[in-house]
Amino acid sequence: MIMMDWLAKAMGLPDHFLSTSENGGGVIHTTACESTLFTLFVARDHLRLKSDTGSQNGHSTVSSSAINVSSMVAYGSKLAHSGVEKACLMGAVQYHPVGYDDNYSMRGHLLEKEIEADIEKGLTPFFVVATLGTIHCCSFDNLKELGEVCEKWGLWLHVDAAYAGSAFICPETRHLLAGIELVQSFNFNPHKWLQVQFDCSALWIKDRQKLDTVLHLDPIYLQHSKQDEIVDFRHWQIPLGRRFRSLKLWFVLRSFGVTGLQKWIRGTMDLAEYFADLITKSEHFELFRPRSMGLVCFRAKGSNDQNRALLKSLNEGREIHLIPAEIDDTYFLRLAICSTQTTQKDLDDVLNLMLRHLQKL
Ligand SMILES: *Cc1c(COP(=O)(O)O)cnc(C)c1O
């Protein structure tokens, strides 16, 4: 609890996520996918319990809820991670991907249009995932607009900031957090870009009382004498047992300090900018969009097929491994800087290597 509070404060998250607040708190999960799945379950069952029509022996059960799971709808950007759709498959709810604007950002009016159409059809919208830092190109959904729409329609808003969340340790990036006060849950992976070893995925919840009403089972073998005095993290996650992951956070925070981590994040962004510059200046390559955080999206000037062939050749050469993405029929390559070992010279080498492979095609 102390580590999650330290981390929340270091990232400028609102006080209502702190364990010392009235209703909030954080928990360390394994992965972003697990956090999305878990919060979707909580949002789903919370809504179904609220609408509960029948109660048996004084116990409310979600099985007697007035709302059918199959009529419930969750939303995310078309650029949201596949883990969102997977969570919907596992939760047996519908998933409706939402479009994005010219900046690859999911906007409030685009979401609201989908919500209204679904309500018209008799469906029950309940859950929205906003992505801060999409996997394709590290674009940012408009949290403030989405938050206002979710508040208006009573939907749970979850943030997936798996990769880019680490950047919020630097205050100059926090304009992207505007609207955070409207969010029900916020997740990012210190194991991606904050020097913590896999696995360590931080999830904060605004209203922990919702965890006490759903997915809350108390069999005799788990009961203890401090039941209502301490936080039982088994209600905050899928597994029962937990690893001591906070120790990894403690070591990283104590070793680097907040200023050390800020320096690290800014350093990787500077290196990414250096690489983006090399791309812009090269006559054979172009940026797909400007650098975002530590990610550079670029392509060889030419067709998608030429870029596919280039990637295949590069990855088969085994000196570098890149992962592609495709948006609106444009195929591009992605280079992210996450290693403490990367230098400007490595990036010069990457460009030369790519030119060599390009000439051989
Ligand atoms: C990496 C990533 C994920 C998946 O992360 P896991 O922790 O492996 O589940 C989800 N969403 C985004 C935006 C990501 O960048």
Side-chain angles (χ1 to χ4, degrees), residues 292-308:
S292 177
M293 302 299 174
L295 180 74
V296 182
C297 297
F298 66 97
R299 62 200 305 284
K301 291 180 182 166
S303 68
N304 283 349
D305 281 344
Q306 279 169 319
N307 277 280
R308 277 190 201 99

Side-chain angles (χ1 to χ4, degrees), residues 190-354:
H191 71 229
K192 270 190 171 159
W193 191 20
L194 207 63
Q195 305 258 20
V196 180
Q197 292 304 306
F198 187 84
D199 48 32
C200 181
S201 187
L203 170 70
W204 287 273
I205 305 234
K206 190 180 190 174
D207 183 0
R208 62 174 177 246
Q209 280 171 1
K210 291 196 172 127
L211 304 176
D212 290 336
T213 50
V214 300
L215 306 170
H216 187 121
L217 300 174
D218 257 329
I220 188 163
Y221 47 84
L222 295 178
Q223 291 171 14
H224 53 81
S225 59
K226 302 270 189 289
Q227 285 281 92
D228 297 317
E229 292 163 50
I230 61 160
V231 175
D232 269 321
F233 281 110
R234 69 173 186 270
H235 303 307
W236 295 52
Q237 59 178 23
I238 296 168
L240 170 63
R242 306 177 47 75
R243 293 181 59 209
F244 192 3
R245 296 185 187 88
S246 56
L247 196 58
K248 297 194 284 195
L249 270 179
W250 185 87
F251 271 107
V252 168
L253 289 168
R254 295 293 286 172
S255 306
F256 293 88
V258 171
T259 37
L261 290 171
Q262 288 171 337
K263 195 168 153 225
W264 150 250
I265 293 286
R266 287 173 188 143
T268 54
M269 291 201 271
D270 289 347
L271 276 176
E273 189 61 31
Y274 177 81
F275 184 70
D277 253 11
L278 293 181
I279 292 291
T280 313
K281 287 184 190 134
S282 149
E283 65 179 289
H284 298 287
F285 291 94
E286 62 193 2
L287 290 180
F288 171 74
R289 69 185 299 245
R291 168 194 67 86
S292 177
M293 302 299 174
L295 180 74
V296 182
C297 297
F298 66 97
R299 62 200 305 284
K301 291 180 182 166
S303 68
N304 283 349
D305 281 344
Q306 279 169 319
N307 277 280
R308 277 190 201 99
L310 172 64
L311 181 88
K312 186 161 180 286
S313 171
L314 279 172
N315 284 351
E316 281 174 5
R318 303 179 65 160
E319 285 175 86
I320 184 173
H321 188 88
L322 295 178
I323 289 175
E326 193 170 329
I327 300 181
D328 301 334
D329 298 325
T330 302
Y331 181 98
F332 54 92
L333 312 183
R334 300 156 62 263
L335 184 136
I337 297 171
C338 297
S339 163
T340 53
Q341 311 284 313
T342 307
T343 61
Q344 287 191 352
K345 165 147 191 330
D346 294 322
L347 298 171
D348 294 335
D349 291 349
V350 169
L351 186 73
N352 292 330
L353 183 71
M354 293 199 305

Side-chain angles (χ1 to χ4, degrees), residues 128-177:
V128 176
V129 177
T131 309
L132 296 185
T134 59
I135 194 117
H136 297 70
C137 64
C138 200
S139 57
F140 290 77
D141 290 342
N142 190 316
L143 208 53
K144 191 159 195 313
E145 291 180 5
L146 299 175
E148 282 162 5
V149 172
C150 288
E151 192 165 63
K152 176 173 163 195
W153 296 93
L155 276 59
W156 181 297
L157 180 58
H158 174 71
V159 172
D160 173 3
Y163 161 69
S166 296
F168 298 130
I169 203 144
C170 302
E172 66 271 23
T173 66
R174 291 187 194 150
H175 58 280
L176 296 162
L177 278 176

